[in-house]
Amino acid sequence: MASLKTVLYLGVCLSVWISTTADMSDLPKAENVHWVSLDFKTILTWTVPQSNHAYTVLYSEDGSDWTESPDCIRVSEPECDLSNHLEPFDRTYSADILTESSTMDNDYGLEDLPHTYSPPFNPYRESNISAVKFTVEAVNDGRVIVNITDPLTSIHRRGKQLSIRDILKNDLKYKISYYKSGSTGKRDFISNSSMAELSKLDPGQSYCFMVAAFIPSRPKATQQGAWSVQRCTQGNSNVVEELSTGAWVGVVFILLTVLIIIITVTVLCCRCCQQRNKSLHSSQSSAPI
């Protein structure tokens, strides 16, 4: 009897093991794993052929032990926000994505699950920088001040939302590209701070400016952030020099139209006066003496 119970117990265990193994063998691995990072908000994304599964993400710093991300345990969406876990920023991180069945319990080893590893990622050197906002203030003829607002990150420390300068510090510079209106030649100026003074500009001329974050310590592919919108100063030279060809055509057209109207009105007035004089003269001639 004892032998029969043992056989039945082993049979049940074997059946459970076979069922569990079969279930895990059907689990799809995560594919197309890549990092998406903007202003140090870093999200790990991936794709899977089916959506009715759960995913657990582990991460490692510089090849150290794997750590479970507390925000990405048995999640259903194929992405994981690791922004608050990738510190220090200037380290190389890797991630491991485990696929789990949403109907399975936790009585199995993580090593038995399908694993997909991410490419390495360094936030400090690879996070993209968004377009900055800036203002241009004319100081006097030939000089302007460019004031740049450092983009904010999604990282908070001690109740403060950090800017990219709080993270990059002295490595952050700004590239200012500018040109004189009507000219095709551009000049670049590298500023070490968020305020730059540009001098030796042609007095009275209009200039256009664009600004981008610039981190020369990075690899070339990620040194420059996105370009800002273009802002132009107003020149104070005389109007004739500032008019474009299209504006000249408009002005000439308006002047010609006004001239034609004046000439037409003058001619009509002259004709009316002539007719009135003739009528008056005719009436006077026909009157009895």
Side-chain angles (χ1 to χ4, degrees):
M1 182 64 68
S3 299
L4 181 58
K5 287 183 179 180
T6 302
V7 171
L8 290 174
Y9 175 76
L10 291 176
V12 170
C13 291
L14 182 60
S15 298
V16 171
W17 179 82
I18 293 174
S19 175
T20 303
T21 303
D23 287 341
M24 288 192 293
S25 64
D26 292 336
L27 295 176
K29 294 183 66 174
E31 301 174 352
N32 303 317
V33 181
H34 63 282
W35 300 89
V36 178
S37 184
L38 180 65
D39 299 334
F40 298 95
K41 182 177 179 64
T42 303
I43 298 176
L44 184 72
T45 69
W46 60 92
T47 60
V48 286
Q50 302 175 24
S51 59
N52 57 337
H53 296 92
Y55 311 96
T56 295
V57 176
L58 298 86
Y59 62 94
S60 171
E61 173 191 330
D62 288 337
S64 61
D65 294 337
W66 292 101
T67 302
E68 249 183 7
S69 170
D71 302 320
C72 302
I73 299 175
R74 295 181 63 82
V75 295
S76 58
E77 297 298 324
E79 65 177 40
C80 175
D81 189 344
L82 290 167
S83 305
N84 293 314
H85 305 293
L86 305 186
E87 290 190 46
F89 295 104
D90 197 6
R91 297 286 189 275
T92 300
Y93 294 89
S94 297
D96 179 15
I97 304 169
L98 285 67
T99 308
E100 307 176 54
S101 172
S102 57
T103 59
M104 291 173 58
D105 55 28
N106 294 324
D107 295 333
Y108 49 82
L110 295 181
E111 65 277 2
D112 298 324
L113 297 172
H115 291 246
T116 305
Y117 296 96
S118 73
F121 181 76
N122 183 310
Y124 193 89
R125 299 181 178 277
E126 299 180 64
S127 184
N128 295 315
I129 305 299
S130 61
V132 302
K133 296 180 180 179
F134 72 100
T135 60
V136 181
E137 177 186 357
V139 178
N140 53 35
D141 284 347
R143 287 176 58 228
V144 297
I145 299 293
V146 179
N147 285 294
I148 306 162
T149 301
D150 299 322
L152 294 174
T153 72
S154 62
I155 310 300
H156 291 75
R157 293 292 176 268
R158 300 183 182 91
K160 175 190 175 183
Q161 186 175 6
L162 303 185
S163 70
I164 61 171
R165 183 167 294 282
D166 293 325
I167 295 175
L168 295 169
K169 302 188 184 304
N170 292 333
D171 280 342
L172 175 63
K173 305 179 187 304
Y174 285 106
K175 179 182 289 187
I176 303 172
S177 181
Y178 64 99
Y179 66 93
K180 183 166 59 176
S181 295
S183 171
T184 57
K186 288 188 176 183
R187 303 177 189 175
D188 288 336
F189 178 83
I190 304 300
S191 174
N192 293 326
S193 68
S194 301
M195 185 183 74
E197 179 179 316
L198 301 180
S199 59
K200 297 182 180 179
L201 305 180
D202 292 342
Q205 294 295 318
S206 173
Y207 281 84
C208 294
F209 301 83
M210 294 176 67
V211 180
F214 183 64
I215 308 102
S217 61
R218 284 183 167 193
K220 189 173 182 179
T222 56
Q223 280 183 344
Q224 184 173 303
W227 282 110
S228 67
V229 297
Q230 180 174 274
R231 292 189 177 277
C232 300
T233 61
Q234 296 296 322
N236 56 10
S237 57
N238 60 57
V239 177
V240 175
E241 292 179 349
E242 292 185 352
L243 289 177
S244 64
T245 302
W248 265 114
V249 172
V251 170
V252 171
F253 176 77
I254 292 173
L255 290 176
L256 286 175
T257 302
V258 172
L259 183 60
I260 290 171
I261 292 173
I262 292 174
I263 292 173
T264 302
V265 171
T266 302
V267 170
L268 291 175
C269 288
C270 290
R271 287 181 178 178
C272 287
C273 289
Q274 289 176 357
Q275 289 179 357
R276 184 178 300 172
N277 290 335
K278 286 180 180 180
S279 177
L280 180 60
H281 179 73
S282 176
S283 62
Q284 289 176 352
S285 300
S286 59
I289 298 177

